[in-house]
């Protein structure tokens, strides 16, 4: 019987310098990142971190990636998903959601974001 788990990191907050506009590159912005990583586990009860995805290591990947500026959120999400896939070979599905919490356009309230999904073929 297949055992499918999903590790979730939800609403992680970062101050980062992603964006096309010069002010975003200089001042930065607040971002919220959520990541889901689905994997198929070995049969039986999971009793060791070696057979799963360590959310501490996953968080470090997200943090390191958010510290590297990028122009488009789409690019940031895609590159992050690829890095996660390289780090965790057991990963089968990754969803990255990035929200920019303050928009650089006068008069617009709310946030903007992107969701990227990556499915690994067996």
């Amino acid at each position: 019987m297949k055992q499918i788990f999903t590790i979730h990191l939800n609403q992680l907050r970062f101050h980062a310098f992603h964006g096309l506009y010069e002010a975003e590159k200089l001042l930065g912005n607040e971002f919220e990142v959520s990541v889901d990583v689905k994997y198929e586990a070995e049969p039986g009860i999971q009793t060791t971190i070696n057979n799963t995805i360590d959310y501490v290591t996953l968080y470090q990947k997200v943090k390191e990636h958010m510290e590297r500026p990028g122009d488009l959120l789409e690019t940031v999400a895609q590159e992050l998903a690829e890095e996660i896939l390289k780090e965790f070979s057991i990963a089968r599905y990754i969803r990255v959601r990035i929200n920019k919490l303050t928009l650089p356009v006068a008069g617009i309230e709310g946030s903007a974001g992107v969701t990227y999904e990556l499915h690994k073929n067996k």
Side-chain angles (χ1 to χ4, degrees):
M1 178 178 350
K2 288 185 181 182
Q3 295 190 107
I4 307 297
F5 287 93
T6 304
I7 301 297
H8 306 277
L9 292 180
N10 298 310
Q11 299 172 325
L12 305 173
R13 294 284 183 109
F14 300 96
H15 184 84
F17 298 87
H18 307 300
L20 290 174
Y21 300 104
E22 212 47 49
E24 294 176 301
K25 294 176 183 184
L26 292 173
L27 303 174
N29 204 326
E30 297 301 313
F31 293 86
E32 186 176 88
V33 180
S34 295
V35 177
D36 301 321
V37 182
K38 187 176 289 191
Y39 68 97
E40 187 175 326
E42 294 295 322
I45 302 298
Q46 303 306 302
T47 59
T48 175
I49 195 71
N50 297 330
N51 296 333
T52 184
I53 291 178
D54 180 2
Y55 66 82
V56 174
T57 303
L58 181 59
Y59 170 79
Q60 282 302 122
K61 278 283 169 210
V62 174
K63 182 179 181 288
E64 290 168 9
H65 194 75
M66 291 301 290
E67 291 173 349
R68 293 192 306 265
D71 289 344
L72 296 175
L73 291 183
E74 290 84 348
T75 306
V76 175
Q78 285 178 299
E79 290 176 349
L80 176 56
E82 291 290 340
E83 286 182 26
I84 292 169
L85 195 58
K86 286 179 189 172
E87 178 73 26
F88 301 103
S89 61
I90 63 173
R92 295 288 172 247
Y93 166 83
I94 301 164
R95 178 173 48 207
V96 175
R97 293 179 304 276
I98 304 174
N99 286 319
K100 184 180 291 189
L101 300 182
T102 305
L103 298 177
V105 180
I108 296 180
E109 293 185 28
S111 65
V114 64
T115 299
Y116 177 69
E117 296 182 19
L118 178 63
H119 298 263
K120 180 180 177 183
N121 296 328
K122 288 189 177 186

